[in-house]
């Protein structure tokens, strides 16, 4: 599985903070046997996020795009809106499962507005910006993602 990781963070894009979440996701993808084909840092700018998601999906650069950051309720958090605009279909069950599993560890997980969806044959999944939250959320759905991509490519649900 080819994966692109987008870190959405004003401070990381300005170079004032280190990208721990993106680095942790890269390592976790490696552990899962997935190939990270792109790592991109963007500021919390909805149009920039949307346009990058569309470009990655439309060029089939990755089978799976994982975003980290911008999923909370802060004034600059806009990743779910940008993702929704980029997607042709939403897959609400993935985000629901991530929040449900996250809630078992912290009640704050319900504040995540993460979404998941499809553009073309690319699956896009929003993850929290915290390094631990990103990994825990990915782990909550990781077993489902290969099958989801097979179905997206035309396989049956059997």
């Amino acid at each position: 599985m080819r994966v692109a990781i987008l870190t959405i963070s004003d401070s990381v894009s300005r170079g004032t903070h280190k990208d721990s979440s993106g680095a942790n996701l890269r390592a976790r993808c490696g552990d899962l046997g997935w190939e990270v084909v792109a790592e991109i840092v963007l500021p919390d700018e909805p149009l920039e996020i949307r346009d990058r998601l569309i470009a990655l999906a439309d060029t089939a650069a990755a089978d799976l795009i994982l975003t980290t950051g911008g999923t909370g309720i802060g004034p600059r958090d806009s990743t779910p809106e940008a993702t929704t605009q980029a997607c042709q279909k939403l897959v609400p069950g993935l985000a629901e499962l991530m929040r449900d599993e996250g809630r078992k560890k912290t009640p704050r997980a319900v504040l995540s507005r993460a979404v998941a969806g499809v553009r073309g044959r690319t699956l896009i999944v929003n993850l929290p910006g915290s390094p631990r939250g990103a990994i825990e959320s990915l782990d909550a759905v990781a077993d489902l993602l290969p099958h989801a991509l097979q179905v997206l490519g035309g396989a049956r649900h059997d």
Side-chain angles (χ1 to χ4, degrees), residues 1 9-11 33 44 48 53 56 59 67 74 85 90 104 110 114 116 118 122-123 125 138 153 156:
M1 183 173 359
S9 169
D10 288 334
S11 60
D44 286 289
E48 219 174 310
L53 291 172
L56 285 167
T59 59
T67 71
Q85 290 175 3
L90 293 179
K104 294 175 183 174
V110 300
V118 172
T122 303
L123 183 61
V125 179
L138 176 59
R156 294 174 43 97

Side-chain angles (χ1 to χ4, degrees), residues 45-116:
E45 293 295 338
L47 295 179
E48 219 174 310
I49 298 164
R50 181 202 66 197
D51 290 349
R52 185 60 63 101
L53 291 172
I54 290 170
L56 285 167
D58 288 357
T59 59
D63 306 305
L64 173 66
I65 301 171
L66 300 174
T67 71
T68 177
T71 62
I73 59 173
R76 296 272 299 152
D77 291 333
S78 59
T79 303
E81 289 78 15
T83 302
T84 299
Q85 290 175 3
C87 289
Q88 296 157 325
K89 299 176 186 176
L90 293 179
V91 186
L94 290 176
E96 291 165 8
L97 180 57
M98 289 188 298
R99 277 187 285 277
D100 189 50
E101 288 298 313
R103 196 171 50 87
K104 294 175 183 174
K105 295 180 174 134
T106 176
R108 293 180 183 174
V110 300
L111 296 176
S112 172
R113 299 178 314 107
V115 299

